[in-house]
Amino acid sequence: MKSAYFLTTEPGWAFATLRELRGLGVAARVAFYHRDSTLLAPATPSLESVRLLTAASVHGSLAEFGRSGRSDATRELARRLDSTRLKASVLRWLPLAERMAARRYSVTTELYGRTSIRRDELDRIVSRAADAAFPRWRRSQREGVRLVCKADPEKAVLGLQLYSNLGSEQDGRPGALRRHLACGLLTVAGVGSADSVFDPFMGTGTILRTAADRFGVQLGIGLEVDADAYRRACSRLAGRRTMLANLAFEDFDYASLPDRCRLVSNLPFGVRFAQVRTEALLRLLAREELRRSPGALLLSREQADRLTAKSGLTRKNVLVLGQPASILHGSAATPRGRG
């Protein structure tokens, strides 16, 4: 019997994947590990019949180890990983895995915190177990079965990758949001097929494209001041129901927004992009047209500090490609005071 699905995402984003799981009817406890970048969800038929959107990669759990006395989880993995059981677990999950080259495998390891075993040692331990389990298999970094191990002192999990959402559907522009994180924002905002999505900082259109392709929204409305990014967005969103403008958000006619329109956006932040003024964002959030439905904003933690108390939104700290960030979500209250 399959034990659990081992789901990975960016640190802090596990709560978005949990929302997706709850929406799929997974009511059982789902454990978070590794700075909230790993979830262990019980294997259910409902998860075999859908492709999760908010996880970076989905794996079948092959082995799980926790701390035992003075021995941390990585040491327990080294001591207890059994090639016979590993083989049986791999063969149970293998029929669900995508894009498998025969008799080849790769190993990826990630460590968090001060573990008793280094990453290169952990890699060798997993590789030796795989070699013993499948002596005719050959290690290859480009194809075959992908074994993924994530560990910290409290929990070590080894899984077989079933599929990944880290594909090539990115436009290569610095700062572009990965598709599974866009799915996370849309899920946190509660977007459904009866909704429209408004992104006033759309960049090259990843959120709106994901909303159309994965959530089937009624309409995607996007604004972008950068002419080059706007042209790319128009190209990427061709054929989808959208209303796009090369326009600053302050100049938009908000009366044109439809009912059930949710504000979902990745605000500019980081070294490459100038932040939007907090006072201007507060005025945006105060607009009656945007307070009708919950939304979700991804922005810098520093700006989130200033917005949280005044916007009435709920805050969650996350990382995006190693950068500290925050998600503000929910329905905005009337802002108090000035930014």
Side-chain angles (χ1 to χ4, degrees), residues 62 81-95 100-107 125-140 144-147 158-160:
L62 302 174
L81 185 61
D82 178 84
S83 60
T84 301
R85 293 180 181 177
L86 176 62
K87 180 177 182 178
S89 296
V90 167
L91 293 178
R92 284 198 300 269
W93 284 108
L94 202 55
M100 291 297 141
R103 296 185 177 182
R104 288 177 173 82
Y105 78 94
S106 64
V107 174
I125 290 164
V126 174
S127 297
R128 283 198 299 266
D131 288 340
F134 300 99
R136 296 184 180 180
W137 286 16
R138 179 167 58 88
R139 185 163 179 172
S140 169
V145 172
R146 186 177 183 191
L147 303 179
L158 177 64
L160 183 149

Side-chain angles (χ1 to χ4, degrees), residues 10-135:
E10 294 268 343
W13 288 81
F15 83 111
T17 301
L18 179 62
R19 289 201 179 195
E20 183 180 13
L21 292 172
R22 295 298 187 234
L24 293 170
V26 178
R29 179 178 180 272
V30 177
F32 292 7
Y33 301 101
H34 312 136
R35 300 176 187 167
D36 290 357
S37 67
T38 295
L39 303 91
L40 286 176
T44 63
S46 63
L47 295 185
E48 289 190 17
S49 60
V50 300
R51 185 181 181 103
L52 293 175
L53 302 176
T54 60
S57 297
V58 174
H59 314 78
S61 177
L62 302 174
E64 304 162 21
F65 303 98
R67 180 187 291 276
S68 179
R70 295 183 179 180
S71 179
D72 79 358
T74 56
R75 184 66 63 185
E76 285 299 294
L77 183 152
R79 186 172 67 86
R80 296 168 49 194
L81 185 61
D82 178 84
S83 60
T84 301
R85 293 180 181 177
L86 176 62
K87 180 177 182 178
S89 296
V90 167
L91 293 178
R92 284 198 300 269
W93 284 108
L94 202 55
L96 296 180
E98 295 180 350
R99 301 175 187 173
M100 291 297 141
R103 296 185 177 182
R104 288 177 173 82
Y105 78 94
S106 64
V107 174
T108 300
T109 56
E110 295 181 29
L111 292 179
Y112 297 83
R114 296 175 62 88
T115 56
S116 63
I117 292 179
R118 299 190 311 271
R119 183 176 175 180
D120 57 340
E121 293 178 295
L122 189 62
D123 186 283
R124 287 195 294 271
I125 290 164
V126 174
S127 297
R128 283 198 299 266
D131 288 340
F134 300 99

Side-chain angles (χ1 to χ4, degrees), residues 186 190-196 215-218 260 262:
L186 292 160
V191 170
S193 59
D195 297 315
S196 297
F215 292 75
V217 298
Q218 295 292 310
R260 293 185 62 95
R262 298 181 188 266

Side-chain angles (χ1 to χ4, degrees), residues 10-334:
E10 294 268 343
W13 288 81
F15 83 111
T17 301
L18 179 62
R19 289 201 179 195
E20 183 180 13
L21 292 172
R22 295 298 187 234
L24 293 170
V26 178
R29 179 178 180 272
V30 177
F32 292 7
Y33 301 101
H34 312 136
R35 300 176 187 167
D36 290 357
S37 67
T38 295
L39 303 91
L40 286 176
T44 63
S46 63
L47 295 185
E48 289 190 17
S49 60
V50 300
R51 185 181 181 103
L52 293 175
L53 302 176
T54 60
S57 297
V58 174
H59 314 78
S61 177
L62 302 174
E64 304 162 21
F65 303 98
R67 180 187 291 276
S68 179
R70 295 183 179 180
S71 179
D72 79 358
T74 56
R75 184 66 63 185
E76 285 299 294
L77 183 152
R79 186 172 67 86
R80 296 168 49 194
L81 185 61
D82 178 84
S83 60
T84 301
R85 293 180 181 177
L86 176 62
K87 180 177 182 178
S89 296
V90 167
L91 293 178
R92 284 198 300 269
W93 284 108
L94 202 55
L96 296 180
E98 295 180 350
R99 301 175 187 173
M100 291 297 141
R103 296 185 177 182
R104 288 177 173 82
Y105 78 94
S106 64
V107 174
T108 300
T109 56
E110 295 181 29
L111 292 179
Y112 297 83
R114 296 175 62 88
T115 56
S116 63
I117 292 179
R118 299 190 311 271
R119 183 176 175 180
D120 57 340
E121 293 178 295
L122 189 62
D123 186 283
R124 287 195 294 271
I125 290 164
V126 174
S127 297
R128 283 198 299 266
D131 288 340
F134 300 99
R136 296 184 180 180
W137 286 16
R138 179 167 58 88
R139 185 163 179 172
S140 169
Q141 291 301 319
R142 295 185 178 181
E143 55 189 357
V145 172
R146 186 177 183 191
L147 303 179
V148 175
C149 183
K150 291 183 68 173
D152 63 16
E154 303 302 321
K155 191 72 173 182
V157 186
L158 177 64
L160 183 149
Q161 182 174 294
L162 305 179
Y163 58 86
S164 173
N165 291 319
L166 297 174
S168 59
E169 194 187 309
Q170 304 300 131
D171 69 351
R173 186 172 185 264
L177 192 66
R178 287 183 171 180
R179 185 172 57 191
H180 74 285
L181 300 184
C183 286
L185 284 178
L186 292 160
T187 298
V188 167
V191 170
S193 59
D195 297 315
S196 297
V197 170
F198 175 52
D199 184 354
F201 311 97
M202 70 172 174
T204 57
T206 298
I207 288 174
L208 295 183
R209 179 167 172 157
T210 304
D213 294 351
R214 305 294 178 179
F215 292 75
V217 298
Q218 295 292 310
L219 179 68
I221 304 143
L223 311 177
E224 178 53 51
V225 295
D226 182 86
D228 179 61
Y230 172 73
R231 286 192 294 270
R232 294 195 198 188
C234 289
S235 175
R236 296 180 75 213
L237 290 164
R240 296 163 179 83
R241 293 188 60 190
T242 58
M243 183 173 72
L244 310 179
N246 185 198
L247 191 69
F249 73 97
E250 296 97 332
D251 300 326
F252 180 66
D253 177 15
Y254 287 86
S256 66
L257 290 176
D259 292 335
R260 293 185 62 95
C261 187
R262 298 181 188 266
L263 172 64
V264 184
S265 191
N266 174 20
L267 274 64
F269 69 94
V271 297
R272 294 178 178 270
F273 303 101
Q275 286 187 0
V276 180
R277 290 186 302 112
T278 301
E279 185 175 286
L281 285 175
L282 286 169
R283 288 196 296 269
L284 173 68
L285 293 172
R287 300 205 63 97
E288 183 62 32
E289 299 91 342
L290 296 176
R291 293 171 56 211
R292 300 170 186 162
S293 302
L297 299 175
L298 177 64
L299 70 170
S300 74
R301 289 189 191 175
E302 173 265 331
Q303 191 160 50
D305 286 339
R306 303 200 301 271
L307 279 176
T308 302
K310 297 181 179 181
S311 68
L313 297 172
T314 300
R315 174 180 176 175
K316 175 67 177 177
N317 286 338
V318 297
L319 291 180
V320 179
L321 298 178
Q323 291 192 73
S326 294
I327 296 172
L328 298 185
H329 59 98
S331 297
T334 301

